[in-house]
Amino acid sequence: MASLMSTVRLGLRTGLKAECRSFVTSTQPATWTHKSLRTGVIARKKGMTAMWDEWGVRIPVTVLQLEQCQVVQVLNEETHGYTALQIGSTDRSPKNVTTPMLGHFEKAGVEPKRKLFEFTVTPDAVLPIGTELVASHFVPGQFVDCSAPTMGKGFQGAMKRHGFGGQPASHGTSVTHRSLGSTGQRKDPGKVFKGKKMAGRMGGEQATVQSLKVMKIDNELNLIYVKGCVPGVDDQFVKVRDAIKKRGDKIAPLDLLPLPFPTVDPKLVKAMPRELVAKTGGADPYVMKE
């Protein structure tokens, strides 16, 4: 971990070099437009750590790793009514896969996968079956959306589940300090309305954190470092795709546009340096203002 963090600090001091930017932008086709919608990837959450930018500001980041992420199926408008790509992640033993799914993977010519997700794309962003998606599909400095089930909390009370204030914490209150309180009205309507916030099962629901900044890409280990937190427990499968609310020129710094489209060229990945680090830019926040 110490060597990892020393590498992170060194990379953040230098920022994303000009030769690294050329790997991302030099060979992109002119067909990319601001209305193009690329596919996302399936990553696994590996935990959280911290980075320091070129000014020495500490940035909490979540580490996501791509494992054998491939295109398994192409869904088109003529057959399915919409255009999308089915992406699979993490190879698994064939003995643990049902016979229908084994036929599905054999038809695609890929190894059986542990997790499958669909990503809606525009027709110009369709990829051939079997195409492998790597961490360099994203660019350091761009924004992404991360979706995954939240941590399950089990059966919880109204105070923890909904943030209720509870009952008075005085001596006159007996054994009901954390009670929900009244849930209904009088004889009319004589019922508890549907949707009333009460105690119940908490967590384990699909959640999306939007517009997280990609801080670093590790091409050797297929790691994506995103700023902030991501839903789910460690080793959870996370859907990562371009930020939906940062379309057009807002998706990434102008010097990094266009994004790798429809994905990055594998030949360029081999020529890239191992780590690509985003640069914060701006003014030194520690300089005293006059």
Side-chain angles (χ1 to χ4, degrees):
M1 180 60 70
S3 61
L4 170 64
M5 298 316 302
S6 61
T7 306
V8 168
R9 296 190 190 99
L10 178 61
L12 281 168
R13 291 193 192 103
T14 57
L16 189 60
K17 299 180 181 179
E19 56 267 25
C20 300
R21 291 197 296 269
S22 65
F23 287 124
V24 178
T25 62
S26 61
T27 61
Q28 303 312 316
T31 54
W32 185 87
T33 65
H34 296 324
K35 294 183 180 180
S36 297
L37 186 61
R38 305 190 306 160
T39 182
V41 301
I42 305 174
R44 302 194 76 167
K45 180 179 176 180
K46 293 300 179 181
M48 293 193 69
T49 182
M51 300 171 60
W52 283 261
D53 65 9
E54 64 268 26
W55 307 114
V57 178
R58 183 180 183 274
I59 301 174
V61 294
T62 302
V63 183
L64 306 173
Q65 186 174 33
L66 276 66
E67 298 177 347
Q68 301 97 32
C69 191
Q70 290 180 282
V71 178
V72 177
Q73 184 182 8
V74 176
L75 297 90
N76 53 52
E77 191 75 29
E78 294 76 15
T79 305
H80 305 90
Y82 62 100
T83 304
L85 294 178
Q86 185 185 73
I87 307 298
S89 174
T90 309
D91 294 347
R92 70 184 308 178
S93 175
K95 69 176 183 179
N96 297 325
V97 182
T98 61
T99 303
M101 290 306 298
L102 277 177
H104 179 65
F105 291 120
E106 289 177 1
K107 181 180 178 180
V110 299
E111 291 294 325
K113 302 296 181 181
R114 188 174 297 274
K115 184 65 68 173
L116 294 174
F117 284 124
E118 283 187 12
F119 293 93
T120 304
V121 298
T122 50
D124 57 345
V126 172
L127 291 168
I129 294 177
T131 302
E132 184 174 1
L133 300 171
V134 295
S136 295
H137 180 73
F138 300 104
V139 178
Q142 81 161 96
F143 294 91
V144 295
D145 293 339
C146 297
S147 303
T150 59
M151 292 184 182
K153 302 293 183 180
F155 194 96
Q156 298 296 333
M159 291 184 68
K160 181 179 178 68
R161 191 183 186 205
H162 300 293
F164 283 12
Q167 303 302 312
S170 62
H171 292 288
T173 303
S174 300
V175 203
T176 56
H177 299 284
R178 297 180 63 85
S179 175
L180 169 65
S182 175
T183 60
Q185 293 78 34
R186 306 173 66 178
K187 183 178 180 180
D188 181 24
K191 65 177 181 180
V192 177
F193 288 106
K194 292 182 179 180
K196 170 65 180 173
K197 293 181 179 179
M198 302 176 70
R201 185 174 180 273
M202 180 180 177
E205 299 176 348
Q206 189 75 7
T208 301
V209 180
Q210 295 181 321
S211 302
L212 296 177
K213 186 177 181 180
V214 178
M215 297 303 301
K216 189 173 84 167
I217 298 294
D218 189 322
N219 289 313
E220 184 173 328
L221 298 178
N222 250 358
L223 300 179
I224 304 173
Y225 294 72
V226 296
K227 182 178 180 179
C229 56
V230 171
V233 298
D234 288 350
D235 227 28
Q236 175 71 267
F237 287 98
V238 181
K239 292 190 287 186
V240 186
R241 69 176 311 158
D242 298 337
I244 194 66
K245 293 185 178 178
K246 298 280 187 178
R247 303 299 296 273
D249 295 340
K250 298 180 180 179
I251 188 69
L254 293 177
D255 58 343
L256 299 178
L257 292 177
L259 298 176
F261 186 79
T263 189
V264 67
D265 189 346
K267 297 179 181 178
L268 293 180
V269 176
K270 297 180 180 179
M272 288 182 184
R274 172 175 175 174
E275 294 182 348
L276 302 176
V277 184
K279 196 169 184 178
T280 303
D284 190 344
Y286 295 114
V287 173
M288 297 294 293
K289 296 182 179 180
E290 297 181 356

